[in-house]
């Protein structure tokens, strides 16, 4: 941060409101500035940056990034550095340290953090760090992979939006009409019940989920984006994202000016999983990115549900894979989403369950009813011989069946009641 200059030859007057050097407030400011700086110089999934921050703290790690050598970095982190799948080659631990310092210092060169923060403030984008009261404790479940900070935009408070009922509805960008209809319907129902729908703002299932939540009275939705909040992406969803921004909240760990890229989408998915109490995959192909959200949710003990599709549909192959291989809960109704939440109501038998008089029958009553032919009648004595019950047992069963309106007497014979 820049420091106001002191006029030449004048003694600086102590500011009674300023924190004393080394005070807790000064340390908090340094930590906050370091976290913002890390979000500007390191990719969200940079494993060496995350390890350095975890071991040395944000400020200590940043000091080492600015002035340390590769040998110092390696020694301070225990002599071993994690690999990054995007590295050109595995190399040695020393080479990984050199690469890390190079990529951080390339972005540090010429970085003006005050300018970035001023520009964000003009766009009404604010920064959240774990030291802020609005920071949701759910993100702590990510442990060493938790974001350096979050950039948020909108009137909502992040902790309020995700503390109560909160579920992620995700799926394929190339969704079918079936997938979009299910996502919108489930999201609208969940939001109408007072829940917050979390998704990624993308085409297909994400967009349908957000729109469904926005259509519900009193519903809330949260969009977690892969790029900077100053460039809403995809552009075709800009109007929808603006509505979310105006009514609720947009969230990103990428600072303003950051372009959305494939690897940032994949990194973003862990935030969607962590901010939600459960994740529902509506439609996903065999290699859909939505499957990574489900996998990450499973790793941090978030329940995962999947909506089945036609067995011939490649667009639902990933959902079927989750159910078969990873034990995802089968979701067929909006009530099933509530059942996924910790302490949520039991889903019950579902809206397609059929209950009638037959469910009230004992096995013995059912045996007697089955002995009565559907299109003719029999004397009671014939039924007794047919099923091998005592006559009094058959009469008792027939009495219950008469009360339920399932059989009727025709003279000395018994027949089934014909229904429409």
């Amino acid at each position: 941060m820049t420091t106001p200059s002191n006029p030449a030859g004048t003694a600086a007057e102590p500011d009674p409101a300023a924190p004393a050097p080394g005070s807790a407030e000064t340390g908090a400011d340094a930590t906050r500035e370091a976290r913002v700086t890390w979000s500007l110089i390191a990719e969200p999934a940079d494993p060496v940056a995350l390890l350095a921050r975890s071991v040395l703290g944000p400020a200590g790690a940043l000091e080492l990034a600015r002035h340390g050598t590769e040998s110092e970095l390696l020694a301070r982190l225990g002599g071993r550095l994690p690999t990054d799948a995007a590295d050109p080659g595995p190399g040695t631990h020393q080479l990984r340290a050199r690469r890390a310092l190079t990529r951080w210092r390339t972005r540090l060169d010429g970085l003006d953090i005050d300018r970035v923060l001023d520009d964000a403030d003009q766009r009404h984008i604010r920064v959240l760090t774990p030291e802020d009261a609005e920071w949701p404790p759910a993100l702590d479940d990510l442990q060493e992979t938790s974001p350096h900070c979050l950039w948020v935009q909108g009137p909502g408070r992040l902790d309020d939006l995700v503390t109560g009922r909160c579920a992620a509805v995700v799926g394929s960008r190339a969704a079918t009409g079936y997938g979009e209809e299910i996502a919108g319907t489930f999201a609208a129902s969940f939001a109408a019940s007072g829940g917050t729908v979390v998704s990624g703002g993308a085409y297909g299932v994400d967009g349908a989920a957000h729109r469904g939540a926005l259509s519900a009275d009193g519903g809330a939705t949260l969009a977690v984006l892969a790029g900077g909040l100053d460039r809403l992406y995809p552009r075709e969803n800009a109007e929808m994202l603006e509505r979310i921004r105006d009514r609720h909240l947009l969230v990103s760990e990428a600072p303003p000016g950051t372009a959305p890229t494939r690897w940032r989408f994949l990194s973003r998915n862990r935030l969607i999983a962590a901010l939600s109490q459960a994740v529902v995959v509506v439609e996903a192909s065999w290699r859909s990115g939505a499957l990574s959200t489900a996998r990450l949710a499973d790793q941090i003990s978030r329940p995962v549900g999947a909506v089945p599709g036609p067995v011939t549909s490649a667009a639902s192959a990933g959902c079927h894979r989750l159910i078969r291989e990873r034990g995802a809960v089968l979701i067929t109704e909006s009530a099933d989403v509530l059942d996924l939440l910790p302490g949520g109501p039991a889903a019950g038998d579902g809206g397609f369950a059929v209950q009638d008089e037959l469910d009230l029958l004992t096995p013995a009553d059912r045996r007697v009813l089955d002995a009565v032919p559907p299109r003719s009648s029999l004397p009671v004595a014939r039924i007794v011989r047919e099923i091998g019950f005592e006559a009094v047992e058959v009469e008792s069963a027939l009495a219950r069946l008469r009360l339920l309106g399932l059989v009727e007497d025709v003279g000395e014979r018994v027949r089934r009641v014909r229904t429409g």
Side-chain angles (χ1 to χ4, degrees):
M1 297 272 185
T2 58
T3 303
S5 60
N6 184 30
T10 63
E13 291 292 333
D15 181 359
S23 68
E25 188 174 346
T26 302
D29 289 344
T31 298
R32 182 180 184 84
E33 182 176 344
R35 285 186 172 277
V36 173
T37 303
W38 275 115
S39 79
L40 291 163
I41 68 172
E43 289 295 325
D46 185 330
V48 183
L50 294 172
L51 177 61
R53 187 200 67 189
S54 177
V55 173
L56 306 175
L62 183 59
E63 180 68 17
L64 188 59
R66 282 191 170 120
H67 306 296
T69 65
E70 58 195 60
S71 297
E72 289 174 333
L73 176 62
L74 191 57
R76 296 286 298 278
L77 299 185
R80 299 180 63 85
L81 298 184
T83 59
D84 187 339
D87 280 344
T92 64
H93 295 290
Q94 192 83 17
L95 181 57
R96 289 178 206 153
R98 186 183 312 155
R99 286 175 178 159
L101 291 176
T102 299
R103 61 178 175 262
W104 301 336
R105 289 172 181 172
T106 298
R107 293 185 177 180
L108 277 168
D109 185 29
L111 176 63
D112 186 346
I113 188 173
D114 287 331
R115 183 186 59 78
V116 173
L117 291 174
D118 288 344
D119 181 66
D121 186 60
Q122 291 177 11
R123 299 175 185 273
H124 305 289
I125 298 172
R126 63 187 189 276
V127 179
L128 295 181
T129 71
E131 293 73 34
D132 294 321
E134 191 179 342
W135 187 268
L139 288 175
D140 296 340
D141 291 342
L142 292 174
Q143 299 180 12
E144 68 276 3
T145 66
S146 63
H148 301 294
C149 66
L150 292 176
W151 303 78
V152 300
Q153 188 180 36
R157 279 182 60 98
L158 182 58
D159 56 341
D160 289 342
L161 285 170
V162 303
T163 297
R165 287 180 176 175
C166 186
V169 179
V170 297
S172 175
R173 286 178 293 176
T176 66
Y178 162 80
E180 292 191 3
E181 179 182 0
I182 293 296
T185 301
F186 283 12
S189 177
F190 184 77
S193 73
T196 298
V197 175
V198 180
S199 199
Y203 296 123
V205 167
D206 286 15
H210 288 307
R211 292 185 181 95
L214 287 169
S215 71
D217 291 336
T221 186
L222 179 71
V224 185
L225 305 186
L229 299 184
D230 59 329
R231 49 172 75 183
L232 299 183
Y233 179 87
R235 291 182 180 179
E236 288 77 2
N237 283 355
E239 182 181 355
M240 177 196 75
L241 293 172
E242 289 169 356
R243 291 174 61 199
I244 297 173
R245 180 192 62 196
D246 294 341
R247 293 171 54 178
H248 305 296
L249 204 64
L250 299 179
V251 177
S252 179
E253 63 182 323
T258 304
T261 58
R262 177 172 174 77
W263 67 85
R264 289 173 183 146
F265 277 107
L266 294 175
S267 297
R268 179 275 314 267
N269 289 347
R270 79 190 194 289
L271 300 184
I272 294 178
L275 289 171
S276 308
Q277 294 176 320
V279 172
V280 177
V281 183
V282 173
E283 195 173 50
S285 61
W286 186 260
R287 299 186 185 279
S288 172
L291 300 185
S292 73
T293 308
R295 175 178 54 80
L296 293 163
D298 191 49
Q299 289 176 358
I300 57 174
S301 301
R302 300 293 194 269
V304 176
V307 177
V311 295
T312 55
S313 173
S316 292
C319 291
H320 302 158
R321 183 181 181 186
L322 286 174
I323 295 168
R324 182 178 63 252
E325 298 178 5
R326 304 192 68 89
V329 176
L330 184 71
I331 303 294
T332 60
E333 296 181 289
S334 56
D336 297 341
V337 180
L338 292 176
D339 190 39
L340 277 181
L341 303 181
D349 292 327
F352 296 104
V354 177
Q355 187 174 29
D356 54 25
E357 294 85 353
L358 297 178
D359 295 308
L360 304 175
L361 301 182
T362 66
D365 292 344
R366 189 61 182 261
R367 178 73 64 85
V368 173
L369 180 62
D370 289 345
V372 179
R375 293 183 178 82
S376 60
S377 59
L378 286 178
V380 175
R382 175 71 179 275
I383 297 174
V384 170
R385 290 196 303 272
E386 185 74 22
I387 63 177
F389 284 7
E390 297 288 338
V392 65
E393 296 170 337
V394 172
E395 288 289 1
S396 296
L398 288 173
R400 290 188 290 271
L401 295 173
R402 292 187 190 98
L403 288 174
L404 292 172
L406 296 174
V407 300
E408 61 184 358
D409 294 327
V410 182
E412 298 296 323
R413 302 167 74 89
V414 178
R415 72 179 182 188
R416 293 198 187 194
V417 174
R418 296 180 181 177
T419 63

